[in-house]
Structures are given as structure tokens and as C-alpha cells.
Amino acid sequence: LAQAQLDSDANDLPARSVRAEAHFYLENNEQSLADLSALIERTPPQPVFYRHRAIVNARMGNFDDAREDLAQFNDLSASATDHACLDVIVSAYLDDETDAIKRLETLIEEKSDDDSGLFNAACAYSVASDVLSEKEITKSKLYAHRAISLLQQAIASGGDYSHMQETAELDAIA
């Protein structure tokens, strides 16, 4: 549907946003990168576009661009937990997630009653587990176990996570 909209109007930004997200989750990185870049150029700054583009750039090995997008995301997003979670994901692709994990763990300790933050941290650990699943199996398993533990904490804190089966970031631990 988004493609049909774009075929009739290449400037349809909501359709481009839908297509960019679809390409992002399908890991069609080149197509996602093109759409996200167009959205960033043509719309007011939105953290989600920089978040997704940072991950896409990291997946593609564009590490300097990934770091630039991570910095832009951090400037636009007020959540320290979101900053730390994205840093873990991007850093996992860079094979340099150790410091990012330490920063995230510090935030988890400080905000252990924030069920939403715990859920987002679980997603970050799950993605990192997936990224490392072929390169560093032991680390991957540790991160998967940590993701599950954080989900359990989030649920115990009272969060309603009935939607978690539809959360793509948790696929690695499903």
C-alpha cells in the first residue's frame, strides 16, 4: 500500500515513513537507508528516523555514519535509557559493545522500577544477542539470558507487555 502511494506521489512522506519502517524490519538496508535519508532531509527532526538510520548504517558497516546518527538521536531524544539502548545496539554491530553495556547496566540499576526502561533494555540486549549470535556465541547467550531477566523484571514491575510477541526486537529470544 505504501509503495502504491509512493508510485502515485513520490512526495507522500507518511507513505515513505511506512515503507522505510517495513524495509528496516525486513533488513532491506539499502532501501531503508534511502527512505530514512529522504525523510530526514524533508521532515522536522524525528528521533525514530535517526534511531533506525543509525542501526541501518551499523548493519551496513557505515560506522562513522552510524555514530553520527546515534549522536543526532541523542540530541533529539530526552530519554537516557533510550540513548543507552541504541548505543548498545549500534556498538554490537561495531563489535565494541562492552562500554555501552556498562552504561546501560548503570541506568538499569538507577531506574530498576521503570518497567518501560527495563523492557527497552531487554530489547537492546536481545538485538545485541542476535547480532553476536554467529561471532561470539557465549556473549550472545549471556545477552539473551539478560534480556529474559529484564523482561521478567519489567513484568514484575507491573508493566503490561501483552504486545511483546509482536516486538521484532525480541525475536532473538522468542
Side-chain angles (χ1 to χ4, degrees):
L1 183 60
Q3 185 60 51
Q5 286 293 110
L6 287 168
D7 287 344
S8 67
D9 179 6
N11 294 315
D12 186 333
L13 296 177
R16 187 168 301 280
S17 179
V18 169
R19 187 175 74 177
E21 186 172 7
H23 284 309
F24 174 80
Y25 284 110
L26 292 170
E27 296 190 23
N28 297 332
N29 294 321
E30 290 179 12
Q31 296 93 334
S32 183
L33 182 61
D35 280 340
L36 289 165
S37 295
L39 288 163
I40 287 169
E41 289 173 16
R42 297 180 192 165
T43 63
Q46 295 184 39
V48 68
F49 297 153
Y50 285 99
R51 178 190 187 280
H52 286 168
R53 195 169 77 171
I55 293 169
V56 168
N57 273 315
R59 286 178 190 158
M60 295 175 70
N62 304 331
F63 300 139
D64 290 339
D65 292 338
R67 289 278 182 215
E68 286 179 31
D69 286 336
L70 175 62
Q72 286 291 332
F73 174 83
N74 289 344
D75 288 344
L76 294 170
S77 174
S79 169
T81 303
D82 288 348
H83 298 178
C85 289
L86 182 57
D87 193 18
V88 165
I89 293 168
V90 169
S91 296
Y93 283 103
L94 303 176
D95 292 324
D96 186 29
E97 79 288 347
T98 304
D99 289 339
I101 290 286
K102 287 177 187 174
R103 287 189 294 275
L104 180 57
E105 283 298 325
T106 298
L107 282 170
I108 291 168
E109 287 177 28
E110 292 171 2
K111 300 179 180 204
S112 62
D113 60 342
D114 176 9
D115 62 282
S116 177
L118 293 169
F119 180 81
N120 291 340
C123 290
Y125 267 101
S126 177
V127 172
S129 172
D130 188 43
V131 169
L132 298 174
S133 65
E134 294 182 18
K135 296 182 259 182
E136 297 189 47
I137 295 170
T138 302
K139 240 189 218 186
S140 174
K141 288 180 182 180
L142 287 171
Y143 293 167
H145 286 290
R146 183 62 174 140
I148 292 166
S149 171
L150 289 167
L151 281 177
Q152 291 169 334
Q153 278 183 261
I155 292 167
S157 293
D160 175 17
Y161 294 103
S162 55
H163 69 283
M164 79 175 138
Q165 289 183 340
E166 290 102 36
T167 304
E169 288 87 353
L170 296 175
D171 285 352
I173 61 169

